[in-house]
Amino acid sequence: RQSAKSDTVFVREMEWEAAQSVWIWRDSSPSMSWTSDRNHQSKRQRADLLTLALSVLLMRGGEHVALLGSGLRPSASRATLTKIATLVESAAAKAEAGPEEQTEEGGEEAADNLPPALPLPRSAQVVFISDFLAPLDDIYKALRYYGEAGLRGTLLQVLDPAEESLPYDGRVRFDGLEQEPSWLVSKVEAVRSDYARRLQAQREGLRDICRALGWGCDFHRSDQPPQAALLRLYTTLSQAVPC
């Protein structure tokens, strides 16, 4: 109609605005409940805290949020946030009760150290929080499912400070929490440098995986303040900047 009124041609451009859906997964395997110091949070407690805080920030920004594998539909409503908090609290209570409680039916996703392969909308974003100490090939396979589906994502590795520094000395026996065999080390300080190289190689591998997928990648320690990691997560999701 405006074009008919003058010699200028007007073209209407329609833009569809829709809230982004963000799906959060955090590692629920038994090893995440381990802590080297009872005075600071376990990896699982820190992952739960970051999950809830990130959900609040995203919902305040109008984004729709859900826990991957929980059966919840993504939403920005207060009711959904309450359900997410309830699921996180319930899973934490089961973890504190012991591994035998992990096999009960109901509740959220089954305990696992890698995100499950579930179909999501192509416009969705994913956030994966874990210690990511599984073999790199397994991690790449799990993440590639979402990357090849065209989803954007970000990865956050959460470690206990002792997992970074291996601060022990002398003869130490390390017991696995996920059915791994015990490992007796006669002199821990003799393997500390090799351990540091292996950990660095794991982190470089995680960076390479995320770089190949065009995803964000970050690292956090459970004895550090959570605010910095939360801000980096939120910024990465907002800007979709790869690591």
Side-chain angles (χ1 to χ4, degrees):
R1 289 195 298 267
Q2 292 297 324
S3 298
K5 296 177 182 179
S6 67
D7 295 332
T8 304
V9 177
F10 293 87
V11 178
R12 175 179 293 175
E13 293 184 359
M14 305 296 292
E15 181 179 350
W16 176 52
E17 295 183 1
Q20 187 73 256
S21 64
V22 181
W23 301 75
I24 304 175
W25 172 88
R26 77 272 186 273
D27 191 342
S28 58
S29 60
S31 65
M32 290 292 288
S33 297
W34 181 77
T35 177
S36 62
D37 188 340
R38 297 297 180 183
N39 293 322
H40 63 73
Q41 291 181 321
S42 67
K43 295 181 289 183
R44 183 187 182 97
Q45 290 172 325
R46 180 52 55 87
D48 287 348
L49 175 62
L50 290 171
T51 295
L52 291 174
L54 182 61
S55 298
V56 170
L57 284 180
L58 291 170
M59 288 181 176
R60 285 180 178 176
E63 309 293 0
H64 292 185
V65 181
L67 292 181
L68 184 67
S70 67
L72 290 177
R73 297 187 62 181
S75 170
S77 69
R78 183 181 296 272
T80 296
L81 180 59
T82 300
K83 291 177 181 178
I84 290 175
T86 300
L87 287 173
V88 169
E89 182 180 8
S90 174
K94 289 183 179 180
E96 292 294 331
E100 65 276 1
E101 298 292 334
Q102 300 285 345
T103 58
E104 289 187 2
E105 296 182 357
E108 66 170 334
E109 71 273 14
D112 199 0
N113 62 351
L114 290 173
L118 298 174
L120 296 179
R122 187 175 179 83
S123 61
Q125 293 193 70
V126 291
V127 178
F128 297 147
I129 305 174
S130 170
D131 57 16
F132 287 108
L133 295 176
L136 289 172
D137 288 344
D138 294 342
I139 295 174
Y140 176 61
K141 182 179 179 181
L143 271 57
R144 185 180 61 183
Y145 171 84
Y146 294 97
E148 290 183 345
L151 275 65
R152 294 180 299 171
T154 186
L155 174 155
L156 177 66
Q157 183 189 54
V158 178
L159 292 182
D160 184 274
E163 292 175 318
E164 282 197 342
S165 60
L166 197 65
Y168 311 108
D169 293 307
R171 184 184 177 91
V172 178
R173 187 185 72 182
F174 296 91
D175 294 324
L177 297 175
E178 298 179 17
Q179 300 182 343
E180 307 96 333
S182 297
W183 183 38
L184 181 63
V185 181
S186 58
K187 193 175 182 181
V188 174
E189 54 268 33
V191 303
R192 188 173 292 125
S193 59
D194 289 337
Y195 176 86
R197 284 192 291 270
R198 289 287 299 273
L199 179 59
Q200 184 61 30
Q202 183 77 6
R203 286 184 161 176
E204 290 298 330
L206 294 176
R207 288 192 182 98
D208 290 342
I209 290 172
C210 290
R211 191 176 296 113
L213 297 173
W215 286 16
C217 181
D218 198 12
F219 305 93
H220 179 63
R221 218 169 65 182
S222 60
D223 64 333
Q224 296 174 339
Q227 292 89 340
L230 176 62
L231 178 60
R232 292 195 300 269
L233 272 177
Y234 185 75
T235 302
T236 301
L237 286 170
S238 301
Q239 300 177 352
V241 176
C243 65

